[in-house]
Amino acid sequence: MPTRNDIRNVAIVAHVDHGKTTLVDAMLKQAGAFAAHQHLDDRMMDSNDLEREKGITILAKNTAVKYHPKDGGAPITINIIDTPGHADFGGEVERGLSMVDAVVLLVDASEGPLPQTRFVLRKALTARLPVILCINKTDRPDARIDEVINETYDLFLDLDADEDQIEFPIVFACARDGVASLTKPENGTVPADSDNLEPFFSTILEHVPAPVYDEDAPLQAHVTNLDADNFLGRIALLRVEQGELRKGQTVAWIKRDGSIQNVRISELLMTEALTRKPAEVAGPGDICAVAGIGDIMIGETLADTENPIALPLITVDEPAISMTIGTNTSPLVGKGGSGKGADAKSGAKVDRKVTARQVKDRLDRELIGNVSLRVLETERPDAWEVQGRGELALAILIETMRREGFELTVGKPQVVTREINGKTHEPVERLTVDVPEEHMGAVTQLMGIRKGRMDNMSNHGSGWVRMEFVVPSRGLIGFRTEFLTNTRGTGIAHSIHEGYEPWFGTLTTRNNGSLVADRSGVVTAFAMTNLQERGVLFTDPGTEVYEGMIVGENSRSDDMDVNITKEKKLTNMRSSTADVAESIVPPRKLSLEQSLEFCREDECIEVTPETVRIRKVVLDAKERGRTASRAKKG
């Protein structure tokens, strides 16, 4: 069959923070994608604000470089898909792999294969894609290149790779310095026999298959991603599998339900470096973008009008975590950060979105581009159950919505259970923990409380221990903060979905109760001074609070209603302690992710553009007391 030797399609997959985006940056620079005078940021592919803040890739993105072979041959276009390393964004990884013919597996020369490495590699092997192994960060002082290569071979065998897939080429790289080599360097050094990525480019050309097509086959193009443009409207990113796609052409649009509609391609765009440029034609193997189809969805097919043949729909893993997202129902709805004119202070008017219709429309829009998300109706008309792959994926969605001006009430994350052979099963995770030896006992005790069982433990002789646990997904909700506290910020933990096991029973993950405001008002320093010995406070003096809002964590296991708005009474009598200075312990500020971890079953989170507050689901203290007494009586 004919092949297109002028093009290669490859995805870069790896665990979080192993250097995918840095490697793509170096490839773009060395392929001459930018002019000499252009100012270039680090991690150019992480264009989203949240990606830059968190230092992770959230959305799969594609770029293209024109590589000029050293032998003087014709330039070759290398289409590169930069995929997320976090398993919570598995839908993005699966879409990325559907566009390419091979993958570059990036592994840290010190950390070696980690849970997300297993996750992305499993997806690539299932898709029968050839693999190029790239050992990155060879210059790390604690690099252990030989052991990491052996661990990677073990991982391939563990995932039932066939002989062709195990016979992979190995490239050694320092992506930060833009250097790659086929010769193994000494541990802790940059490859010395090269000063650029030329060996990496030549390995891609040699081992990534060129797209194969049938000259007589009708048009088939697969929609793998969606984007939007202020002038062109919705843009569909797709890979042309067979035939040619031309600007102005009329094609058959095969929808998810099987219906077919003829549409016209009003604009055809091809990617060069980080920009899309107009094109006239896209052939087999090309990754392009088309405009002019308003309601097109991911997984659908553009085909020949006379002989429309659909390509298989993109399938993703089932959701494991759910949470309820609804409109803001607190007394401070629409009032800003402090509850009193925060908008006036900032000098900018925030376009607040507080109605159920606005929230539902936004969730429906998210479903268009996020294939791993599901939105289900609940008993209430102003709240919906949103299911996703993990806690982080749902937290990113909420953070994005609050930055767009939405005010939300978010429930505690729950697991999505399954009925198997008449018994309830819940999702379990494989957790890999790297900790210094002295914290091993604390981590083992922490996992014991969460009903995790240890599967494996290894000591590299460097003072660090790696432990693997199988633990219910419920047990990892609220785990990260406590884990970092117990390991004094030194521990590293990563998890991946492992499957379903019978219900583990009751889990107690938070021992301390909450300090709950018993009335509305403004927090005073006097009240905080008296309350800080009761637990850890979350609020600053001057913050507006309301009845039922959680203002701190109790030092005991039960909840306590407190008056945090109490003022010091002024009298004309001199006090013997009047001149004693009282100091306030700085309050603990919880981020959105930490608030989701802290939340209990009877609590929820109020999210606004300015602030995140934790509150009781039932605000009235008397009503909460009646509910508790009824629950005790059964």
Side-chain angles (χ1 to χ4, degrees), residues 127-444:
R128 315 294 304 162
L129 296 171
V131 178
I132 298 170
L133 175 63
C134 180
I135 304 295
N136 190 29
K137 303 187 183 181
T138 60
D139 59 328
R140 281 186 62 157
D142 54 351
R144 44 187 193 92
I145 298 172
D146 287 330
E147 293 97 317
V148 166
I149 292 173
N150 290 332
E151 288 171 12
T152 308
Y153 275 116
D154 291 342
L155 179 58
F156 271 77
L157 293 170
D158 195 27
L159 294 175
D160 295 328
D162 58 34
E163 286 186 26
D164 292 339
Q165 289 172 318
I166 288 183
E167 292 299 320
F168 49 77
I170 303 176
V171 181
F172 305 92
C174 177
R176 186 192 59 198
D177 295 350
V179 175
S181 172
L182 301 179
T183 308
K184 183 174 78 71
E186 292 293 321
N187 286 335
T189 63
V190 177
D193 61 340
S194 171
D195 60 359
N196 54 34
L197 292 177
E198 180 62 33
F200 183 57
F201 282 119
S202 59
T203 305
I204 288 177
L205 297 191
E206 185 179 345
H207 292 278
V208 175
V212 177
Y213 63 98
D214 184 349
E215 286 180 324
D216 300 322
L219 170 66
Q220 281 184 306
H222 209 187
V223 180
T224 57
N225 210 343
L226 295 175
D227 203 350
D229 185 273
N230 292 334
F231 302 101
L232 299 174
R234 186 179 297 185
I235 294 175
L237 274 75
L238 41 86
R239 171 172 169 155
V240 181
E241 300 289 348
Q242 304 285 355
E244 287 187 341
L245 197 61
R246 295 181 178 277
K247 180 180 177 180
Q249 180 181 357
T250 300
V251 298
W253 167 26
I254 306 175
K255 302 180 183 179
R256 294 183 79 89
D257 58 7
S259 61
I260 300 174
Q261 178 183 339
N262 285 356
V263 291
R264 182 176 174 274
I265 305 297
S266 63
E267 196 69 51
L268 179 66
L269 305 164
M270 299 282 277
T271 303
E272 284 185 28
L274 300 179
T275 58
R276 295 196 189 108
K277 297 188 177 177
E280 293 298 321
V281 63
D286 276 330
I287 295 172
C288 61
V290 299
I293 310 169
D295 298 320
I296 196 164
M297 297 284 281
I298 288 168
E300 296 178 341
T301 305
L302 297 183
D304 186 65
T305 51
E306 297 178 5
N307 186 14
I309 304 170
L311 290 161
L313 292 171
I314 296 172
T315 57
V316 298
D317 291 338
E318 292 290 307
I321 299 288
S322 75
M323 60 176 72
T324 304
I325 297 179
T327 55
N328 188 2
T329 55
S330 91
L332 298 183
V333 57
K335 291 186 179 178
S338 68
K340 293 186 186 177
D343 296 346
K345 284 182 186 175
S346 66
K349 191 174 188 310
V350 179
D351 179 20
R352 298 192 177 280
K353 302 178 178 71
V354 296
T355 66
R357 180 184 59 79
Q358 288 171 318
V359 174
K360 182 67 168 70
D361 288 349
R362 177 62 181 82
L363 291 175
D364 288 342
R365 281 206 314 278
E366 187 68 23
L367 287 176
I368 293 170
N370 193 337
V371 291
S372 58
L373 213 65
R374 291 185 188 163
V375 177
L376 308 175
E377 300 286 339
T378 64
E379 296 172 357
R380 290 173 45 198
D382 62 345
W384 296 268
E385 182 185 345
V386 181
Q387 298 180 347
R389 286 292 312 126
E391 202 177 344
L392 178 63
L394 296 174
I396 292 289
L397 168 63
I398 295 163
E399 181 65 34
T400 306
M401 290 179 69
R402 73 179 279 209
R403 292 182 182 209
E404 293 171 4
F406 284 90
E407 294 201 8
L408 307 167
T409 300
V410 180
K412 177 182 170 61
Q414 309 283 347
V415 294
V416 180
T417 58
R418 279 186 179 177
E419 203 74 25
I420 302 174
N421 298 328
K423 292 185 177 179
T424 301
H425 284 58
E426 63 175 315
V428 294
E429 308 270 326
R430 177 169 292 277
L431 177 75
T432 301
V433 175
D434 286 309
V435 290
E437 288 173 348
E438 64 264 27
H439 298 307
M440 199 172 81
V443 172
T444 309

Side-chain angles (χ1 to χ4, degrees), residues 10-12 21 24 43-48 51 56-63 79-84 92 95-96 99 225 237 274 276:
V10 63
I12 299 182
T21 308
V24 174
R43 294 187 294 113
M44 290 174 284
M45 294 292 284
D46 285 348
S47 52
N48 184 310
E51 290 179 321
I56 59 172
T57 301
I58 296 169
L59 303 171
K61 290 173 282 294
N62 70 298
T63 184
N79 287 311
I80 307 162
I81 311 294
D82 183 19
T83 62
E92 299 286 329
R95 292 204 317 240
M99 303 166 73
N225 210 343
L237 274 75
L274 300 179
R276 295 196 189 108

